[in-house]
Amino acid sequence: MTYTTTAKALRGGLPTAAALLLALVTPAHAAPQETALGNWLFVSVTSGDVRSSQARGTLLLCDPPQGHGRAAEACAQLQTTAGDIHALPTADSYCTMVHAPVTAYARGQWNGREVDYTETFPNACVMKARTGAVFALDG
């Protein structure tokens, strides 16, 4: 009798298990591919002018924040401006007048919109004041 009860339970659970497996294997059609990728930017900073070979960069992922030393802070700042780096508020800071240019680059996607940003700043202090944590690649 135990065999019969177990067999009935297994037969009753097979359609449910098959439906669950099918749901896991079948691709979702609800979200477009851009949304599935989330908000991300490849950010880099080049010391000197645009032709310099001294560059460092990283991939900033924001869904969830990762890949960048200050990812959570950078993503929060970008969220306030819908990913518009030009619209980031300038921080109150005092920067020296030392001429040591740095060029900041960002390429990626934010809320389904392509981001392509390049700007040269007089020095790293000015870049940090104008872009917050987005290009803070040293952690």
Side-chain angles (χ1 to χ4, degrees):
M1 290 259 184
T2 305
Y3 174 77
T4 308
T5 306
T6 306
K8 286 181 183 178
L10 283 174
R11 270 187 266 129
L14 283 177
T16 305
L20 180 61
L21 183 60
L22 186 60
L24 292 174
V25 175
T26 305
H29 296 289
Q33 189 165 354
E34 297 97 25
T35 307
L37 294 175
N39 297 329
W40 63 274
L41 297 174
F42 181 79
V43 295
S44 63
V45 177
T46 303
S47 299
D49 64 9
V50 178
R51 293 172 295 278
S52 174
S53 63
Q54 296 179 354
R56 56 190 191 282
T58 191
L59 183 62
L60 171 63
L61 302 170
C62 289
D63 297 319
Q66 58 185 334
H68 182 292
R70 294 170 58 187
E73 186 179 358
C75 291
Q77 291 171 350
L78 287 165
Q79 189 66 37
T80 64
T81 64
D84 184 359
I85 298 169
H86 291 287
L88 289 168
T90 301
D92 290 332
S93 63
Y94 295 98
C95 296
T96 63
M97 298 296 289
V98 174
H99 183 71
V102 292
T103 302
Y105 302 94
R107 308 241 186 306
Q109 190 170 38
W110 197 272
N111 294 336
R113 174 182 62 80
E114 187 173 323
V115 174
D116 189 3
Y117 172 89
T118 303
E119 189 167 348
T120 300
F121 299 94
N123 56 49
C125 179
V126 174
M127 178 185 69
K128 181 181 176 190
R130 292 193 188 155
T131 64
V134 175
F135 294 99
L137 301 180
D138 296 332

